Amino acid sequence: MTIRPFARTSPTSSGPKGEQPPSAAETTMVTPVGTPAPSVPSVSPPSVRWEHPLERVEEIASPPRRPRLPWLRRRKVLVWAGVVLVVLGALAGFGVWMALGLRDSARDVKTQATAAEDELTAFRTVAGSDPTAASRHLDAAALHLATARRSSRTTQMRIAGVLPWAKIPVSDLGHLLDAADATVSAGHYALDVSGAIKPVPGSSQQPLYADHVFSLPVVQQTAVKAQQISSLMAGAEQDLLEVDGTGPKEQEVPGIRDRALDQVRSLRKQMEQALPLLRLLPGVLGADTPRTYLVTVLNQAEMRPSGGAPLSVATLTLDKGVMTQGAAQSTSDVKFPNGLAQGAGKGFINAPVPWKPAVADPFFSGQRVKGKTYTPFVNANTDPDFRVSGQNLALAWQGGTGQHIDGVIALDMNAVRELLRVTGGVDAAGYGQVNDQNVAQLLLANVYAEADSPQRHLLNAALMGGLVQRLSEGGGLTDKAKALFASAPGRHFQIWMADPSVQQFISGAGLSGAVAAPATTGDRIALFNQNLKGAKVDALQQRTVDEIITMQADGSAKVQRTVTQSNGAIDRSGKMLEYGELSGFARDSLVTVLPTGASDVTTPPAPAKPQQGATQVLGKRQVLAVGGLSYLRQPVQIAPGSTGTWPVTFTIPKAAVAEGDGMTLQVAYDANNDLTPVRTRTVVIPPPGWRVTGGTGVQVASGQGVLDVALDRTQTLSVVLSRG
C-alpha cells in the first residue's frame, strides 16, 4: 500500500476551519524498507517579525441573545391592556361626571331663570298699582338669578365653556343672565322714579309734586336715576346682541333673546326721550327765574287754522317750583289794560290789543290805530303752524296785559274730553256736571242757543277753573300726561315755549302742533279753516277731501281736488242772518296746502255780486307763501242744512320718483284739528301701460290705487306703480 505523502506547510498556514497545523513529527515521511528515499526540496526558514502585543486587538463577539419566553410577552400585553382599561374607565367616569353635572346645572339654571322671569312679569303687572309688591317681586327675581348664576359657574360648566361643542350655549347663558340682572336693577330705579311721581300713602319718599309745589331736588334725582336706567338698558341690549342662539339645544334661545330685546329697547328709548325733559325741567319750573305760562282752551265752534279760537284762559306762574294760578276766565271777560274798548276796532267784536308777530305772518290781520298795530287776542292763532300761532298768542297777551309769557299750552275739546275721562267731571252752575260724555255738546252747541249769554261765560270759566285744578292736582300725573299726549298727534294738544331748548324738545316729542316741512316731490293733502263773521257752527260741519291724481309717464301728475262741506247747523236767528252768533251760515276761509312746484292752479271764480243766503264762493283765492309752503285760501259760504263744494286743480311737475321700471308716488297728509276729523279719498290713475301694484295703505282695484285716510295725524303713504 502506498501512502500519499503530505506537503509541508508553513507554520502560519492553517488547515480546515477548526484544525491546527500538523507538528514536525507528524509531517516526517515514512519510507518503506527497500524503497529509495525521495529527494527533499530545500525549504527556506520562515521570516520572523516581532509584534507589540497591543498592535493586534481582537474583537470579542457579544454572546448571542437568548430567546424570550412566551409567558413574559403575555405579561406585558396584560399590563398595557390594564393601563388602557384604567384610562377608558377614567374617561368614562369623567364623561358621566360631566354629563350629570351639566344636566343638573342646566336644569337648575332653567328652573331658576323661569322663576325669575315669572317674578319680573309679576313686577310689571303690579308696578303701577302696588309698588311694595313690585319691590318684593324684584327681590325674588334677584334671588332666583343669583341661584341661576351659581349653577352656571359649576366646574362642569366652566369646563364646557372651553369645549367647542358647548362654548356657544355657555356664553349665551352668561349674556342672558347679565341682561336679566340689569333689568332687575333698572326695575328698582324705575320704582324710585314711580314712587316720586306717584307717592305711596304713608311712604317717607319725598314726592316730585304735591300741594302746588315741585321738588327741585327730586327732579334732579329723577334725572340721575333715569340716566342710570338708560345705561343699564344699553348694557343689557349689548349683552342680548351678543347672544348667538345657534348652539346645541338652543332652539328657544333666539325667541327669548328677541322678546327681551324688544322690552329692553323700549325702556331705553323711553328714558332717552324723558332725559332731555328731566334735564330741562328745573328751568321750566322756575329754578333760576320765575316762569309764567298761558293755558287756553280752544273753541272748535269757531275755528282757526291752528285750532279753535281761544275760548277761556288762565295763567300759571312757577317760581322755584312753587306754582301760583291766575284767574280762570272766559276770553271775552278778560280786561286788557292796554287794549282798545271792546268793539272799538273796525270789524272786530272783541277788544283789539296792540301787538304784531315776531316774524312776517301772511295770516296775520291787524289794523293801525294811533300809530300801533291792533288785533284781538282771539284772532292771534290764525297761522296753521302752532309754532307761530303759539308765539302770537303769547305776544297778544303780553301786548294786552303787559304780562310776559314764557309758554302757551293749548287744549281743544278733543283733549279736554280725554283729560276729563281720566280725572272725572267738573261742576258748573246751571249745567250740572261737565264730563267727557257731554262736554263737546254743552260747550260747542248748547251754549250758543242764545247770543252771548251770561251762563255761557260762567260755564267757560267753570270749565277752565276745573281743568286747571285737575291739572294742578298731585294725583294721577302720569295718567293725565298720557291722556293729553294721546291727543297730540291730531294737534288737539299743542305747546309753544319761548326757551329754544325747551321748544326743541317739544317739537321732537310731537307736541308743537307743527305743519310738516315741504317735500321736494309728491302730493300734499291738508285742510284748515278760518271762521269768518263769528258764527259758532264749525263744530257742526262735516268736511271731506276727494282727489283724482292722473299720473304721467314722466312722473308728473294732474290733480283734481274737491273739498266738500256739509253744514249741519240750523238758523237760530229766525232771520236767516249770514253772520253773528245766532247765524246758521258757515262762513269760512278754506285753506289747503299745495305740493311743491304746483302749477296751473285753478279755483272757482269769485262772483261779481254774492247772492243773499246762497251756498257759494264769496271772494277771490289767495296763495300765501310761508316757510317754503304754499297755502291756497278762498272764502266760501254754506247755507244751513246745505252742502257746498270747492274744486281745485293743479299740476305737480315732480310727483313720482322713478325706480327702474317703476315709480313711487308719496302722498303726505297733515293733521286737521276739527272736532270731527276730515276724511279723504285719493284715487291714483296710472299712465297708459302702467298699473298700481301696491304701497302702504293702498287698495288696488283694476290697476288703480285708492287711499282712504282720515286727517287725524300727520303721515305719508307711498303708492307704487309699475309698467305692464
Side-chain angles (χ1 to χ4, degrees):
M1 177 180 69
T2 301
I3 300 175
R4 184 179 178 182
F6 288 95
R8 186 180 295 273
T9 59
S10 67
T12 58
S13 62
S14 59
K17 186 177 180 181
E19 297 182 3
Q20 297 295 327
S23 64
E26 293 173 334
T27 59
T28 302
M29 300 200 51
V30 179
T31 304
V33 178
T35 302
S39 61
V40 179
S42 61
V43 178
S44 300
S47 61
V48 178
R49 186 177 67 87
W50 182 86
E51 295 179 355
H52 191 281
L54 296 180
E55 288 184 359
R56 296 184 65 188
V57 179
E58 295 183 0
E59 293 183 0
I60 301 175
S62 59
R65 296 180 63 183
R66 299 173 62 185
R68 294 183 178 179
L69 299 177
W71 67 268
L72 188 59
R73 288 197 298 270
R74 287 196 299 271
R75 180 182 177 185
K76 188 171 184 179
V77 170
L78 291 174
V79 170
W80 280 108
V83 171
V84 171
L85 289 175
V86 170
V87 172
L88 290 176
L91 290 175
F94 176 78
V96 171
W97 174 76
M98 279 289 295
L100 293 177
L102 290 176
R103 183 200 64 184
D104 293 343
S105 295
R107 180 193 60 208
D108 294 343
V109 168
K110 184 175 182 179
T111 300
Q112 297 300 324
T114 301
E117 184 178 7
D118 292 341
E119 294 292 347
L120 288 174
T121 300
F123 158 75
R124 287 189 289 268
T125 302
V126 302
S129 58
D130 191 346
T132 303
S135 181
R136 287 198 299 268
H137 287 302
L138 283 178
D139 292 340
L143 288 175
H144 287 302
L145 289 173
T147 304
R149 180 79 67 179
R150 286 194 297 272
S151 297
S152 72
R153 291 175 176 172
T154 61
T155 303
Q156 293 95 326
M157 293 290 283
R158 291 178 183 275
I159 294 173
V162 299
L163 299 177
W165 57 270
K167 186 176 182 179
I168 291 177
V170 173
S171 175
D172 287 350
L173 175 60
H175 288 304
L176 288 171
L177 290 176
D178 287 343
D181 284 337
T183 301
V184 171
S185 298
H188 282 295
Y189 286 125
L191 281 181
D192 291 341
V193 173
S194 176
I197 297 174
K198 187 179 180 181
V200 178
S203 172
S204 60
Q205 184 176 5
Q206 186 177 4
L208 177 71
Y209 175 79
D211 299 327
H212 297 83
V213 177
F214 288 91
S215 172
L216 296 179
V218 174
V219 170
Q220 295 168 345
Q221 293 167 12
T222 300
V224 171
K225 290 173 181 176
Q227 178 62 64
Q228 290 169 326
I229 294 173
S230 179
S231 299
L232 284 167
M233 291 300 94
E237 182 178 359
Q238 186 59 42
D239 273 313
L240 291 170
L241 289 173
E242 293 290 335
V243 174
D244 186 283
T246 61
K249 297 185 178 181
E250 283 201 300
Q251 294 84 353
E252 298 179 0
V253 169
I256 295 172
R257 174 199 60 202
D258 294 343
R259 289 192 298 272
L261 267 174
D262 289 341
Q263 296 175 3
V264 164
R265 284 171 172 164
S266 175
L267 182 55
R268 177 180 59 79
K269 289 178 181 178
Q270 290 177 31
M271 293 301 103
E272 289 176 352
Q273 292 170 354
L275 274 170
L277 175 61
L278 290 171
R279 292 168 181 151
L280 293 168
L281 203 52
V284 174
L285 299 176
D288 300 321
T289 183
R291 307 280 183 169
T292 299
Y293 304 102
L294 182 68
V295 182
T296 179
V297 174
L298 303 181
N299 181 8
Q300 288 154 301
E302 186 180 351
M303 286 298 294
R304 304 285 185 264
S306 67
L311 178 69
S312 50
V313 292
T315 57
L316 296 175
T317 299
L318 286 154
D319 186 5
K320 293 181 173 55
V322 179
M323 183 169 63
T324 304
Q325 177 184 330
Q329 306 173 73
S330 177
T331 305
S332 56
D333 292 334
V334 176
K335 304 301 181 184
F336 292 102
N338 301 332
L340 300 176
Q342 190 162 349
K346 182 179 179 181
F348 295 127
I349 298 174
N350 292 281
V353 294
W355 73 279
K356 61 180 180 180
V359 295
D361 181 5
F363 290 94
F364 171 75
S365 177
Q367 66 181 48
R368 299 287 292 178
V369 178
K370 298 180 181 180
K372 294 183 179 180
T373 301
Y374 284 79
T375 200
F377 171 77
V378 295
N379 291 343
N381 61 329
T382 54
D383 192 292
D385 196 319
F386 195 77
R387 292 175 299 181
V388 177
S389 283
Q391 184 181 31
N392 287 349
L393 286 168
L395 292 171
W397 183 268
Q398 182 173 336
T401 65
Q403 184 180 27
H404 176 75
I405 296 297
D406 295 290
V408 177
I409 302 170
L411 307 81
D412 63 17
M413 283 303 118
N414 297 67
V416 169
R417 188 164 49 197
E418 292 301 316
L419 185 62
L420 292 178
R421 183 174 290 122
V422 172
T423 65
V426 298
D427 294 326
Y431 291 92
Q433 188 180 72
V434 180
N435 54 45
D436 62 295
Q437 299 296 318
N438 62 12
V439 62
Q441 180 66 37
L442 286 175
L443 269 78
L444 301 182
N446 293 3
V447 296
Y448 296 112
E450 299 179 10
D452 199 24
S453 67
Q455 288 81 5
R456 183 204 310 170
H457 293 205
L458 292 174
L459 176 59
N460 291 343
L463 176 66
M464 191 70 233
L467 288 176
V468 172
Q469 180 182 356
R470 293 287 192 273
L471 286 170
S472 60
E473 287 175 347
L477 286 179
T478 303
D479 293 336
K480 287 182 282 191
K482 288 181 179 179
L484 292 175
F485 289 176
S487 62
R491 302 174 73 226
H492 300 296
F493 175 62
Q494 306 173 94
I495 300 176
W496 171 83
M497 288 290 176
D499 186 319
S501 298
V502 181
Q503 180 62 26
Q504 182 179 6
F505 170 81
I506 293 297
S507 296
L511 304 174
S512 66
V515 175
T520 56
T521 61
D523 191 18
R524 182 75 175 265
I525 299 178
L527 183 64
F528 309 108
N529 175 40
Q530 169 67 51
N531 181 283
L532 303 173
K533 302 300 182 181
K536 305 296 194 287
V537 297
D538 286 333
L540 303 174
Q541 307 302 301
Q542 297 289 333
R543 300 183 180 92
T544 61
V545 179
D546 293 279
E547 268 201 356
I548 298 176
I549 304 175
T550 304
M551 297 298 303
Q552 308 299 312
D554 62 357
S556 63
K558 295 182 178 180
V559 180
Q560 294 176 284
R561 177 178 296 175
T562 302
V563 177
T564 302
Q565 179 168 329
S566 297
N567 182 4
I570 60 173
D571 176 64
R572 290 164 293 169
S573 68
K575 302 176 182 179
M576 290 296 287
L577 295 177
E578 292 182 345
Y579 55 88
E581 290 188 351
L582 295 181
S583 171
F585 282 82
R587 279 196 165 196
D588 303 304
S589 277
L590 296 178
V591 181
T592 190
V593 177
L594 295 173
T596 301
S599 60
D600 304 325
V601 180
T602 67
T603 58
K609 184 178 181 180
Q611 298 179 13
Q612 183 73 24
T615 294
Q616 59 193 315
V617 170
L618 290 177
K620 295 180 180 181
R621 77 180 193 211
Q622 293 177 297
V623 177
L624 309 177
V626 183
L629 293 172
S630 294
Y631 293 94
L632 180 65
R633 180 173 72 177
Q634 191 164 20
V636 299
Q637 175 176 279
I638 313 296
S642 299
T643 297
T645 59
W646 181 44
V648 179
T649 65
F650 50 88
T651 298
I652 309 175
K654 295 181 179 180
V657 177
E659 298 173 337
D661 290 334
M663 55 183 170
T664 300
L665 167 69
Q666 303 279 351
V667 183
Y669 298 87
D670 285 281
N672 167 275
N673 43 18
D674 284 357
L675 181 67
T676 302
V678 172
R679 300 290 310 183
T680 72
R681 165 162 282 206
T682 304
V683 177
V684 180
I685 301 176
W690 291 68
R691 58 191 175 88
V692 174
T693 56
T696 308
V698 179
Q699 305 172 48
V700 179
S702 301
Q704 299 181 354
V706 180
L707 298 92
D708 290 315
V709 177
L711 299 184
D712 56 358
R713 63 187 184 278
T714 298
Q715 58 183 313
T716 300
L717 302 181
S718 301
V719 182
V720 179
L721 298 92
S722 303
R723 295 182 187 273

